[in-house]
Structures are given as structure tokens and as C-alpha cells.
């Protein structure tokens, strides 16, 4: 693989890799470092990349593993989910817009309490809008585990939202 092929095949995935790393490490600078390390490792292994069917899934897996290693080595938990949940509201009513933004912020905060695997799967499915099959390939998990983790994550968020809404928490 030469530089042009690297730019055309690998670099377009940098935003996805960054978002994945950010969700795991919780810090923008660390996420950038993770993506940079992934690119360096891929560049060093460029001669062996012809054997890989899905280069993007390979990059996502490398990013996930490096990011998890970084969090484990520093013994810290993720702190921020960033701005991945910013949705445009189509209502013309300012009250509805404020309510929607408040709900989005609550979901963003509640997602921090989920286990890493559930948080990553929920991020990829509900925010990145990936298919179950793509998520399974990116995270190297069986399809059943993806579905179960997504179900549990959504159920937990729903329960926490309902408890907050009715003042039970």
C-alpha cells in the first residue's frame, strides 16, 4: 500500500475512529492520540493489509482495543460523551426545543453510567446509525451479543429517564 492508497482507504474513516475513541477514553486529546497511534500502526503494517477484507472494521477494532488499553492503564473512567447526541429539532415551538435539548443532555449524562460495551454499542447503533451486522464486525462480537447489549442499554436508559421524570431518583 502506498501513500495514495492509504489516503484513499484509511483516512476517510478518521472521524468514525475519533468518535469511537472519544466515547471510550472520554477526552478529546487522548482520543486524537489513539487515532494517531492507530494510523501509525496501520502504516507500519501496510504491506500486510492486502489480506484484510474490511479495512474499516479492522481500524475500528484497533481503535477500540487501543482506547480500552489507555483507559485501563490510567485506571480512570470515561468522563464525557462529547457532542455526539446533538440532533436538530424540527419543531417551531421554543418550549419543545428546550425540552428536547434537556432530554438529550439527560440521555448523554445517563449513558456515562452504562458499561463500556453497552455504551459503545448504543453509540454505534443509535447515534452513528450503523447496522447490527456492522457493529458486530467493528466490535468483533456475535450478533446476539450486540442485540442483547443494545437492549439492556436502552432498557437501563429508559428506566433511569422514567425515574428522573417522576422524581424517584
Amino acid at each position: 500500500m502506498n501513500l495514495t492508497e492509504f489516503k484513499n482507504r484509511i483516512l476517510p474513516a478518521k472521524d468514525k475512529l475519533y468518535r469511537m475513541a472519544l466515547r471510550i477514553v472520554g477526552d478529546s486529546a487522548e482520543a486524537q492520540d489513539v487515532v494517531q497511534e492507530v494510523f501509525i500502526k496501520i502504516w507500519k503494517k501496510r504491506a500486510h493489509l492486502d489480506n484484510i477484507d474490511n479495512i474499516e472494521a479492522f481500524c475500528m477494532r484497533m481503535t477500540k482495543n487501543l482506547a480500552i488499553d489507555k483507559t485501563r492503564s490510567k485506571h480512570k473512567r470515561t468522563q464525557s460523551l462529547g457532542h455526539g447526541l446533538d440532533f436538530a429539532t424540527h419543531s417551531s415551538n421554543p418550549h419543545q426545543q428546550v425540552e428536547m435539548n434537556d432530554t438529550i443532555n439527560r440521555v448523554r449524562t445517563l449513558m456515562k453510567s452504562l458499561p463500556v460495551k453497552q455504551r459503545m454499542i448504543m453509540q454505534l447503533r443509535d447515534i452513528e446509525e450503523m447496522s447490527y451486522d456492522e457493529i458486530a464486525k467493528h466490535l468483533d462480537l456475535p450478533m446476539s451479543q450486540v442485540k442483547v447489549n443494545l437492549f439492556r442499554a436502552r432498557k437501563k436508559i429508559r428506566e433511569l429517564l422514567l425515574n428522573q421524570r417522576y422524581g424517584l431518583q
Side-chain angles (χ1 to χ4, degrees), residues 12-167:
K14 74 176 169 31
D15 291 335
K16 279 185 180 181
L17 300 178
Y18 171 76
R19 287 190 301 266
M20 163 85 71
L22 182 63
R23 299 305 174 250
I24 297 170
V25 298
D27 179 61
S28 180
E30 274 191 70
Q32 290 173 354
D33 289 346
V34 168
V35 173
Q36 185 175 7
E37 285 180 46
V38 167
F39 284 156
I40 290 169
K41 285 184 177 196
I42 290 173
W43 179 252
K44 288 179 180 178
K45 295 181 181 186
R46 68 186 178 273
H48 307 289
L49 293 178
D50 294 332
N51 302 335
I52 298 172
D53 292 332
N54 189 343
I55 193 73
E56 185 177 328
F58 180 74
C59 293
M60 291 289 279
R61 189 174 310 130
M62 277 183 95
T63 303
K64 176 194 78 162
N65 292 340
L66 269 172
I68 289 172
D69 288 347
K70 271 198 180 281
T71 59
R72 285 181 183 159
S73 69
K74 292 190 176 187
H75 302 293
K76 71 172 203 162
R77 298 187 44 85
T78 57
Q79 297 171 359
S80 172
L81 287 173
H83 302 289
L85 290 172
D86 294 334
F87 298 111
T89 58
H90 299 291
S91 80
S92 59
N93 183 343
H95 176 70
Q96 289 175 335
Q97 288 178 346
V98 169
E99 190 174 317
M100 178 61 84
N101 288 338
D102 184 45
T103 302
I104 289 170
N105 288 332
R106 277 190 278 156
V107 169
R108 188 181 289 150
T109 302
L110 293 173
M111 281 180 67
K112 293 177 188 176
S113 67
L114 294 174
V116 173
K117 188 185 298 184
Q118 289 179 7
R119 185 173 49 234
M120 286 185 339
I121 291 172
M122 190 172 181
Q123 166 72 25
L124 292 174
R125 178 68 181 157
D126 295 334
I127 298 169
E128 302 288 333
E129 299 178 345
M130 288 185 175
S131 70
Y132 290 110
D133 191 45
E134 289 174 320
I135 295 169
K137 287 179 184 174
H138 285 309
L139 300 180
D140 195 28
L141 294 171
M143 180 76 69
S144 60
Q145 218 177 33
V146 170
K147 290 180 179 181
V148 166
N149 278 292
L150 182 61
F151 173 79
R152 288 178 181 166
R154 287 175 175 168
K155 181 180 177 187
K156 181 68 173 176
I157 295 294
R158 187 179 312 113
E159 288 172 358
L160 292 170
L161 276 174
L162 289 173
N163 286 344
Q164 282 183 349
R165 174 173 281 163
Y166 297 112

